[in-house]
Amino acid sequence: MVIDVTQTTAGQLKTLGRFRQINDTFPRTEQIREHKNQGKKVFGWLCTYVPEEIIHAAGILPVRVTGYSQEMELEDGNAYLYINNCSFSRSCLQMGLRGEYEFLDGMVAGSTCDGARRLFDLWQHYIKTPFYHILTVPRKYTEKAHGLYYQQVVQFKEHLEEFLSQKIADEQLRHSIEVYNQARVLLKQLYELRKADTPPISGAETMEVLNTSFHMPKETFNQWLKELLDELGKSSNRHQGRARLMVVGSVMNNPEFIKSIEAQRGLVVTDELCTSTRYWSDPVVLAEGQSPVKAISRRYLSNFPCARMVPSDERFRRILNLVKEFKVDGVVSQIIRYCVPYAHDLPLLRDRLKDIGVPMLALDVEYGTSGSGQIQTRVQAFLEMLEARKR
Amino acid sequence: MKVPDTKGNKINAIIRACRIITRMNQANPDTPKSEALYYQMLSSYYTRLRNAHDEGGFIAAHTVFFPSEILYAMDIVPMHTEMTTWMMALFLGEQAEILSAGAELGLVPEICSPHRGLAGAFALGALPRPDAMLWSNLICDNTAKSGELIMELTKCPGFFLDHPFQRSEAEDKYLVSELEDMIDFLEEKSGQKMDWDKLSEIVQKMDHQMELLREIGELRKAVPSPFPNRGFLQLLTVDYLCPGQPEAIAYLETLRDELAEKVREGKGAVSPERFRLMTLFVPPMYLMGFLEKIGQEYGAVSVVEPLFTRWAEGKLDPSRPLESVARKTAMIPERRSMYGPLSQEVLQDLIDCAEQYKVDGAVYWAFMGCRHTCATVKLFKDLLNEVDVPVMTIDCDIVDPTINSEAEIREKMEQFFEMLEDR
């Protein structure tokens, strides 16, 4: 059955509803409550350069700290982080200040961007979480940079061991690598389905799945995702739209934004976001006899890069590859105001896309936006332009 | 992206402006000798830059807080990109043109204006075409991200210096290895060799320069404080443009002696001195004259700028020049307070400053393009309020005069002075 992308299949796909329930209740989800009730710890992490496997191997539930799932008044965030820090960091801080993350036993960040590092500084000063750690994350991919980052990951592991008064064994790390790699493989399978001319799952539905991936125990997530993939394999549902789109830019985990694009029949088939492709794309490659910490640190620094990394060519190369693989007609760049790394890359990326004949729509947004109002008008005009090019 | 021929660049105009100021100063017998030396230093820096290509020199453009000691030791001509954009704003009043050129490149207003401006200046051909672009993540995402667009605009090679976020033995070693790689890159591109003896000499002078800056900081503790409001920018410029250079030492030694004499004589920069202020971040460049004027009117003087003029204690070792260059970057005031985790030591230093300098109030210039410093506005305010120092925050842009009017800032400052008076 070919259905328009404006229609959701959630009603028909049993497992998708479970993912949605997590998103609706985060951060006060049943899974987190259960984990805490068992006397176990929950750590918050910021940015995809924090190696989750280290936290997981210590028996701690790693939960990504995200902000409100909708555009909100950020009175506390504005007061503490000032209005010129990105609305993602202000939104996260406000949730922290208002006790939404009071269950956290630790907070781990990387020196990834100014917004993240200052969010960490203020979290440490104003929100009392028992454990804090920030990793120096080099901005290069050189062997020396890998060497430094490896030492940072070792230091983080040792700090965590000291806090817990227990060692994290290599065996535990190997197990965590397996669990996380399985999630990466499954998410890749989900994305492979989206390469089809009429994919069985929409962009907004995919975002709902992704959003739960860093907010719940990975083992359960993997099980649910397997079941969803089974269902999708059997489903006859196929989505179609006016044009195939890719979303790039700042952190974004609100399915409503994608939904607003798809409501106008722009089919989002892939993305380059730290909440999506950049989160799962590269596995940890553990060679025979290799130290698991070394394998983890290498993966995190050489993963699909954020705009913070230098040179930017690697990020651009991967974006252009995705454009080809997913037969993308147009790219929607959504950059949160004051998200400077992505803003600086914008003219360079636009030129590279232009060289391969792919237009880009550049949107300035606030974190949590549902994509209403002016954004809708601009998306509409962009889709019309893409349609005209096809004729 | 294409840029026009750079023959018509604005460097000549900066040199002319410096010379005019120097002549005006010479005509006024009351002008301190240090003032003349400062403008000679600027003029000489920009003359060297202007003549570089004609004399077969190699120009390396670099972002702020970059270890240009290495460039001087290699006889490479440095071009401080942000400072040069500021100078254009300050002397030529051409902010609108360069900011608009930055916008045409696709740089959004949320990007810090000196970085939008410098990209715009390169796009307009207002700056000489560099032979290499050097940039680093010290001190923010803007510095980390500004190099690649300039490389593309000017079709020059570049080197990104990755500056570790925290300090440890491993991170210090990483920075030194980054400096080594940069030297290799520069030697290859310029064909000029590193002169290690010269670098050692520069390091020795830089050590003296830091000592002079600390001495000046100590002299400013005097009541009344001898250093004028307009001097803040000059103290920054010295290190930004001429680290370890003889002209910088000459200026600072003269300034120190002048300030020491004023302290001995009990003369203040304003008379009578009524309000001793702490300046947080940087006031708009184009308002330095206004701040001097309002300071004189109200007896208000900036006595300390913890984020910019408070140098860390410590010595450099000329026998280990590269390690010393790396060590110096950790000692600059901006690095201590604006890069790396916000440590208890940094926060305590802010409180110590307020006490040691007998501060009556603080003005936080909340530059909207500088996200990581504005993130400290509330925290610093909370800390200073605990030691009974009121803080006034003024939203501003350091180069773009369309954000605030002088009248608006005057009104805010007058209200603040009234409040301080009532206390």
Side-chain angles (χ1 to χ4, degrees):
Chain A
M1 177 175 63
V2 175
I3 58 172
D4 197 275
V5 70
T6 54
Q7 294 172 277
T8 174
T9 51
Q12 295 136 24
L13 293 169
K14 191 177 66 181
T15 44
L16 208 54
R18 297 192 294 200
F19 291 102
R20 185 166 293 159
Q21 200 195 352
I22 296 281
N23 294 333
D24 289 346
T25 53
F26 183 80
R28 298 181 187 279
T29 64
E30 206 180 308
Q31 278 84 358
I32 292 174
R33 204 167 40 242
E34 271 175 21
H35 191 84
K36 290 290 284 189
N37 286 345
Q38 289 167 23
K40 295 180 187 168
K41 291 185 166 47
V42 179
F43 270 29
W45 57 272
L46 279 170
C47 297
T48 47
Y49 287 86
V50 173
E52 262 186 285
E53 284 89 337
I54 304 287
I55 304 170
H56 181 267
I60 298 168
L61 172 61
V63 169
R64 185 176 195 160
V65 172
T66 49
Y68 294 106
S69 56
Q70 55 189 304
E71 208 171 335
M72 293 274 288
E73 286 295 324
L74 298 172
E75 300 96 335
D76 295 345
N78 295 347
Y80 284 77
L81 264 170
Y82 224 64
I83 49 168
N84 59 350
N85 273 278
C86 73
S87 43
F88 171 72
S89 52
R90 282 182 282 136
S91 186
C92 292
L93 186 69
Q94 179 159 311
M95 283 184 70
L97 289 165
R98 294 189 177 183
E100 300 279 342
Y101 282 108
E102 65 188 356
F103 57 85
L104 289 182
D105 300 289
M107 176 63 145
V108 188
S111 61
T112 46
C113 67
D114 293 336
R117 70 181 174 98
R118 284 311 195 199
L119 166 59
F120 179 80
D121 280 336
L122 295 192
W123 194 291
Q124 192 168 11
H125 195 84
Y126 290 107
I127 304 167
K128 304 297 173 198
T129 302
F131 176 91
Y132 296 95
H133 194 95
I134 186 161
L135 295 102
T136 290
V137 185
R139 293 201 184 227
K140 287 183 166 179
Y141 314 94
T142 58
E143 280 309 309
K144 286 175 191 171
H146 274 292
L148 178 64
Y149 187 62
Y150 167 66
Q151 284 174 328
Q152 286 291 308
V153 177
V154 169
Q155 272 178 27
F156 168 49
K157 177 175 164 277
E158 288 171 354
H159 187 192
L160 190 53
E161 288 172 336
E162 190 189 324
F163 173 72
L164 298 170
S165 303
Q166 69 175 56
K167 287 278 174 199
I168 302 167
D170 279 1
E171 203 43 54
Q172 291 167 288
L173 286 165
R174 282 193 199 96
H175 171 68
S176 298
I177 289 170
E178 267 177 40
V179 171
Y180 275 74
N181 273 351
Q182 192 187 13
R184 290 170 185 130
V185 166
L186 293 169
L187 283 164
K188 187 172 167 53
Q189 285 173 21
L190 183 69
Y191 270 64
E192 286 296 317
L193 298 174
R194 300 172 75 196
K195 287 182 178 171
D197 289 340
T198 53
I201 187 164
S202 71
E205 288 163 348
T206 307
M207 181 53 78
E208 296 205 59
V209 175
L210 289 159
N211 205 10
T212 58
S213 65
F214 34 72
H215 284 156
M216 66 184 288
K218 229 22 144 227
E219 293 84 348
T220 315
F221 172 78
N222 288 347
Q223 188 53 44
W224 287 8
L225 184 49
K226 267 188 222 163
E227 288 168 21
L228 174 66
L229 286 166
D230 284 347
E231 265 195 289
L232 288 170
K234 291 172 197 154
S235 166
S236 59
N237 291 343
R238 294 290 178 265
H239 289 284
Q240 65 176 14
R242 294 157 72 185
R244 296 171 67 84
L245 302 175
M246 174 180 188
V247 177
V248 303
S250 310
V251 57
M252 194 270 284
N253 62 318
N254 184 5
E256 291 303 314
F257 178 79
I258 309 267
K259 208 178 273 179
S260 76
I261 294 172
E262 295 188 328
Q264 299 188 71
R265 301 186 57 244
L267 179 61
V268 175
V269 291
T270 190
D271 40 57
E272 174 268 337
L273 302 169
C274 64
T275 44
S276 57
T277 307
R278 291 209 297 97
Y279 176 61
W280 60 260
S281 72
D282 295 12
V284 174
V285 180
L286 181 61
E288 186 71 33
Q290 191 189 11
S291 138
V293 177
K294 203 149 222 167
I296 289 168
S297 79
R298 181 157 284 272
R299 183 269 173 193
Y300 275 83
L301 195 63
S302 57
N303 187 32
F304 196 139
C306 167
R308 72 181 292 277
M309 298 297 281
V310 180
S312 304
D313 293 345
E314 175 61 9
R315 175 174 169 252
F316 297 150
R317 186 187 67 78
R318 292 213 195 195
I319 289 174
L320 297 187
N321 279 348
L322 288 176
V323 165
K324 284 174 199 157
E325 282 174 28
F326 285 81
K327 300 187 286 281
V328 168
D329 300 312
V331 171
V332 177
S333 158
Q334 56 85 40
I335 299 179
I336 295 175
R337 288 194 181 89
Y338 295 105
C339 178
V340 163
Y342 285 91
H344 272 280
D345 271 359
L346 191 62
L348 297 170
L349 178 59
R350 188 195 295 271
D351 279 0
R352 280 150 182 80
L353 288 168
K354 197 175 164 188
D355 288 346
I356 59 163
V358 175
M360 180 205 265
L361 170 66
L363 300 172
D364 287 339
V365 299
E366 293 296 359
Y367 174 74
T369 184
S370 60
S372 57
Q374 201 193 357
I375 291 177
Q376 262 180 355
T377 311
R378 295 194 58 202
V379 169
Q380 176 68 20
F382 186 60
L383 288 169
E384 281 169 16
M385 185 269 287
L386 292 177
E387 278 182 318
R389 281 164 57 96
K390 283 184 186 170
R391 286 198 286 268
Chain B
M1 292 177 193
K2 284 184 182 170
V3 296
D5 178 20
T6 58
K7 288 285 181 196
N9 68 59
K10 307 285 183 183
I11 301 301
N12 255 332
I14 296 177
I15 297 166
R16 270 200 306 275
C18 290
R19 285 183 183 158
I20 290 168
I21 296 169
T22 304
R23 278 202 295 277
M24 284 163 63
N25 284 341
Q26 281 165 351
N28 181 357
D30 293 336
T31 306
K33 196 180 165 202
S34 61
E35 195 83 0
L37 289 172
Y38 173 76
Y39 285 102
Q40 276 171 27
M41 181 188 77
L42 278 189
S43 178
S44 135
Y45 178 90
Y46 283 109
T47 303
R48 188 168 176 237
L49 178 60
R50 181 194 58 188
N51 299 343
H53 281 161
D54 290 342
E55 293 170 359
F58 186 92
I59 299 176
H62 66 88
T63 49
V64 70
F65 311 119
F66 205 87
S68 53
E69 291 89 345
I70 286 171
L71 306 181
Y72 282 110
M74 295 181 75
D75 203 21
I76 285 172
V77 180
M79 174 163 61
H80 191 301
T81 49
E82 291 93 334
M83 202 71 209
T84 304
T85 313
W86 291 357
M87 290 293 169
M88 284 198 278
L90 194 62
F91 292 137
L92 314 180
E94 291 182 355
Q95 302 93 318
E97 192 186 351
I98 57 173
L99 289 173
S100 144
E104 279 174 33
L105 289 170
L107 298 177
V108 294
E110 290 83 11
I111 290 175
C112 129
S113 50
H115 288 94
R116 275 183 286 135
L118 73 90
F122 277 115
L124 289 171
L127 294 172
R129 184 188 173 280
D131 299 299
M133 177 66 207
L134 310 172
W135 77 107
S136 92
N137 45 338
L138 184 66
I139 202 155
C140 63
D141 291 332
N142 281 297
T143 57
K145 292 300 295 181
S146 60
E148 288 177 296
L149 180 58
I150 292 169
M151 281 168 64
E152 192 137 315
L153 284 169
T154 60
K155 308 287 178 227
C156 76
F159 185 90
F160 173 72
L161 181 72
D162 193 8
H163 206 292
F165 183 63
Q166 301 175 90
R167 303 253 356 247
S168 67
E169 201 184 325
E171 283 158 296
D172 288 353
K173 273 187 190 166
Y174 179 71
L175 179 56
V176 171
S177 78
E178 279 288 289
L179 293 174
E180 286 166 346
D181 289 349
M182 185 181 77
I183 292 168
D184 290 345
F185 165 84
L186 287 170
E187 286 186 339
E188 187 202 323
K189 299 296 174 194
S190 70
Q192 289 164 219
K193 288 284 169 199
M194 165 56 85
D195 182 337
W196 292 100
D197 291 337
K198 195 171 173 186
L199 186 61
S200 293
E201 279 171 37
I202 291 170
V203 164
Q204 193 159 24
K205 287 198 176 78
M206 190 59 226
D207 196 51
H208 181 42
Q209 190 169 320
M210 289 196 299
E211 199 47 51
L212 288 166
L213 286 161
R214 289 189 202 101
E215 283 180 46
I216 289 166
E218 283 299 306
L219 289 164
R220 296 175 72 193
K221 286 180 180 170
V223 182
S225 182
F227 191 65
N229 291 329
R230 66 175 183 279
F232 174 25
L233 186 57
Q234 299 182 355
L235 288 187
L236 302 191
T237 311
V238 174
D239 181 53
Y240 289 0
L241 300 188
C242 300
Q245 296 307 297
E247 53 269 49
I249 304 285
Y251 162 70
L252 289 172
E253 282 178 343
T254 308
L255 176 65
R256 178 207 48 198
D257 294 346
E258 287 167 358
L259 296 180
E261 193 179 339
K262 284 179 89 172
V263 170
R264 275 195 302 275
E265 292 170 354
K267 285 185 186 167
V270 293
S271 179
E273 180 182 280
R274 291 164 68 206
F275 309 117
R276 296 172 64 82
L277 302 178
M278 172 187 280
T279 299
L280 294 163
F281 206 66
V282 192
M285 299 294 152
Y286 54 91
L287 286 183
M288 295 314 276
F290 158 75
L291 292 173
E292 185 62 30
K293 195 173 146 200
I294 198 167
Q296 294 291 348
E297 270 178 56
Y298 284 85
V301 63
S302 177
V303 291
V304 65
E305 302 82 19
L307 309 187
F308 280 90
T309 55
R310 189 134 160 114
W311 286 74
E313 292 299 326
K315 297 286 289 176
L316 302 181
D317 179 1
S319 70
R320 303 184 69 195
L322 209 53
E323 287 80 357
S324 290
V325 169
R327 183 167 154 72
K328 182 226 157 178
T329 63
M331 292 161 78
I332 60 172
E334 296 89 340
R335 164 69 175 82
R336 292 168 67 213
S337 53
M338 294 193 274
Y339 195 66
L342 207 47
S343 67
Q344 202 50 46
E345 186 195 347
V346 169
L347 302 179
Q348 185 58 46
D349 192 56
L350 187 75
I351 295 165
D352 292 347
C353 269
E355 287 166 357
Q356 290 169 11
Y357 285 83
K358 301 182 182 65
V359 165
D360 298 307
V363 180
Y364 204 127
W365 296 95
F367 167 35
M368 298 313 285
C370 193
R371 304 162 302 141
H372 64 107
T373 45
C374 284
T376 64
V377 166
K378 175 163 170 51
L379 179 57
F380 285 7
K381 203 170 185 172
D382 286 351
L383 291 169
L384 289 168
N385 286 350
E386 277 176 28
V387 291
D388 203 27
V389 172
V391 181
M392 173 177 65
T393 307
I394 301 179
D395 290 350
C396 67
D397 190 287
I398 57 174
V399 297
D400 185 355
T402 60
I403 305 298
N404 316 83
S405 69
E406 194 176 299
E408 180 195 341
I409 291 180
R410 170 174 279 277
E411 192 181 330
K412 283 184 180 165
M413 295 199 82
E414 284 176 345
Q415 283 169 0
F416 189 58
F417 295 149
E418 273 173 34
M419 188 271 287
L420 291 179
E421 186 70 39
D422 290 345
R423 284 161 65 92

